[in-house]
Amino acid sequence: MNNQLFESVDHYISDLLAHEDEALVAATQSLKEAGMPAISISPNQGKFLQIMALLCNARNILELGTLAGYSTIWMARALPKDGRLITLEADPKHAAVAQKNIERAGLASQVQIRTGKALSILPELVQEGAGPFDMIFIDADKPPYADYFQWALRLSRSGTLIVADNVIREGKVLDAAPANEAVAGAQRFNAMLGANTQVTATILQMVGVKEYDGMALAVVK
């Protein structure tokens, strides 16, 4: 078994079940055009999030980390017509690119981009009574993941699904003393999740075009 095989199978699955339309292809292309990092989730991961949103009958979704809006589009397409998605993006340039992609996808009436540091916006959402959200997707900078999760809990209800991406870091979470702060952030998050009594949780290892990583799934009790 090797990465080439995993990537080939990933393409096989996406060709069958996670077809990208013009809006999704354009969102991926916009990363290169804008000089942004190509770190969006894969088509299969996007379809996975869409199915998770459908399974929990999500009407209100919160996303931390918009980038170019690729994952935003996948999830927003699971919403009913009166559903909404709020996505938080720290970089104004990224937010502007994402806004164009969301408009191209015909989702501007359902998706709101809030620009700024998530740890500043999350308390505002609590004060505004923006929650509870039915699904929360965390895919932002890794060091504050555990903090993001604690705020996500405050914006949740019993049954809310919280998903966190990039929590395995190519297996580097096994390192006793990681030099990379993103890995250390994932370790802190995973340890916190394991000790948290407010949720029922697990982590799925994932391989494919995004190489080797994993997503955490937690359902609030």
Side-chain angles (χ1 to χ4, degrees), residues 7 23 29 37 49 54-55 63 72 80 84 86 93 105 109 116 126 128-129 136 138-139 146-147 165 170 178 182 189:
E7 290 183 16
Q29 182 63 28
L49 291 175
L54 290 169
L55 283 172
E63 177 182 45
T72 316
R84 62 163 183 162
I86 296 175
K93 175 184 174 181
S109 64
V126 171
E128 293 168 11
I136 300 174
I138 303 172
D139 190 16
D147 296 321
D165 196 16
E170 298 180 331
F189 170 83

Side-chain angles (χ1 to χ4, degrees), residues 41 45-64 71 74-76 78-79 84-86 131-138 152 155-164 215-220:
I41 59 172
Q45 290 171 331
K47 188 62 174 291
F48 173 76
L49 291 175
Q50 188 178 90
I51 289 173
M52 290 297 100
L54 290 169
L55 283 172
C56 62
N57 296 312
R59 302 179 68 86
N60 298 307
I61 299 175
L62 174 64
E63 177 182 45
L64 281 63
S71 55
W74 275 109
M75 291 187 290
L79 291 169
R84 62 163 183 162
L85 187 154
I86 296 175
F133 292 92
D134 306 308
M135 178 176 174
I136 300 174
F137 179 47
I138 303 172
L155 288 160
S156 298
R157 57 165 176 77
S158 176
T160 292
L161 171 64
I162 303 174
V163 182
M215 283 189 184
L217 305 177
V219 177
V220 178

